[in-house]
Amino acid sequence: MYHILVCDDNAEFRKLTVLLLEKYAGAYNATVVGCRGGDDLLAYCWNNKLNLIYMDIVLGRENGMALAKAIKALNPRALIIYISAFDDYYTDMVQAEPFRFISKDASDIPRLEQQLADTLDAAMRRITGREIWSFVFDRKKYGVELSKIKYFYSMARTIHIVGDLGEVPDYYYGKLDELEKELKKIDDNFERISKRHIVNIKYVKFVGKNKIGIEHKTLTITAKYRERFIEKCSEYWSLNT
């Protein structure tokens, strides 16, 4: 279980930030807790492991960046994301080693939510050391370690996920072309083998003329993708044998 803290002396904004983060935290097996100031923050850090903190730079009379340095002393691996309505703290922020910065603006909630979701995703990838791929199904966001996915296949308007998924749904609504572009940005082990299939090279057992073996399944590889796929497999096997 990962622990995310939101520290802001503005009660309404703090509640909003916690609420928005909770929409996505479950995908990373993370909990979100809010605190209002330095005393609450340091007390929490003394008694709990902290992985990620969203912190206002100005906390009443307290300086959030000074508190951040104290947190780093207690937990050097904690990531800090500053939230502020001001942009004139850049030099101090760099010295305090922030992971990201978010503009504090509750007037544009969709933009704030997107910033929180993006920074949370980036932070959890850094914290876990694993690439997490996320998707939305039935208005809920789910996350899966890409290393646990064996392959994807499309059927009608759905994309099916084959692998060790735990409690995560094994399909969602989407397009394989869009998934292929997304995967290329985060994990080079996934390759297209046909109009309907994208596979994780680490699970491939053999490559034939028009078939590949992946775990206990045989899939068709079409001529359009075969040359590129063999090249990628050769690179992977040379680095991992």
Side-chain angles (χ1 to χ4, degrees):
M1 178 69 72
Y2 298 100
H3 299 272
I4 302 169
L5 202 62
V6 175
C7 187
D8 197 306
D9 60 334
N10 183 318
E12 292 303 316
F13 189 83
R14 182 175 67 248
K15 291 177 183 177
L16 173 63
T17 304
V18 169
L19 181 65
L20 293 175
L21 283 170
E22 285 179 334
K23 293 176 63 177
Y24 303 95
Y28 306 97
N29 191 30
T31 60
V32 186
V33 176
C35 67
R36 62 183 179 181
D39 290 341
D40 291 344
L41 175 62
L42 293 175
Y44 185 92
C45 292
W46 274 110
N47 297 300
N48 301 274
K49 181 180 178 182
L50 178 64
N51 302 104
L52 174 63
I53 178 170
Y54 287 81
M55 177 185 290
D56 193 357
I57 292 177
V58 179
L59 296 165
R61 296 181 179 180
E62 298 177 291
N63 186 312
M65 286 174 288
L67 288 170
K69 292 176 182 178
I71 293 168
K72 282 288 189 178
L74 292 172
N75 191 344
R77 301 186 68 179
L79 296 183
I80 297 171
I81 296 173
Y82 288 122
I83 304 178
S84 179
F86 307 100
D87 59 4
D88 54 355
Y89 289 95
Y90 181 75
T91 300
D92 288 339
M93 282 194 300
V94 170
Q95 293 175 347
E97 301 179 359
F99 179 69
R100 291 287 191 278
F101 174 81
I102 292 177
S103 177
K104 187 175 183 178
D105 182 7
S107 66
D108 189 347
I109 292 179
R111 180 172 180 270
L112 174 63
E113 179 177 347
Q114 188 61 56
Q115 287 182 308
L116 291 170
D118 290 345
T119 55
L120 176 61
D121 186 58
M124 293 310 297
R125 288 180 184 177
R126 174 74 65 85
I127 290 167
T128 62
R130 302 185 295 269
E131 290 295 348
I132 304 295
W133 171 74
S134 60
F135 65 98
V136 176
F137 178 74
D138 198 21
R139 298 185 180 181
K140 184 176 180 180
K141 187 173 183 179
Y142 296 90
V144 185
E145 285 184 45
L146 280 172
S147 63
K148 294 183 177 180
I149 298 176
K150 298 173 183 177
Y151 63 92
F152 298 90
Y153 69 94
S154 63
M155 181 178 296
R157 291 165 41 187
T158 60
I159 295 177
H160 295 255
I161 313 161
V162 178
D164 182 10
L165 307 182
E167 300 299 319
V168 174
D170 61 1
Y171 76 95
Y172 70 102
Y173 298 99
K175 297 180 179 179
L176 208 64
D177 289 345
E178 294 177 359
L179 173 62
E180 181 181 19
K181 293 176 183 178
E182 183 182 354
L183 291 172
K184 289 298 183 184
K185 296 177 182 178
I186 55 178
D187 193 323
D188 199 40
N189 286 337
F190 284 84
E191 280 293 324
R192 190 95 173 241
I193 62 167
S194 69
K195 185 177 180 179
R196 294 185 55 210
H197 289 87
I198 296 174
V199 305
N200 188 342
I201 290 174
K202 68 177 286 187
Y203 291 102
V204 173
K205 301 301 182 183
F206 73 86
V207 180
K209 183 177 181 180
N210 59 2
K211 300 285 184 181
I212 72 162
I214 184 163
E215 291 295 281
H216 303 295
K217 187 78 172 180
T218 300
L219 304 176
T220 299
I221 180 170
T222 58
K224 177 181 178 180
Y225 300 100
R226 189 173 186 278
E227 183 177 351
R228 169 66 178 173
F229 185 74
I230 291 176
E231 180 182 335
K232 292 295 296 182
C233 283
S234 297
E235 291 177 3
Y236 179 83
W237 290 331
S238 66
L239 292 172
N240 293 275
T241 57

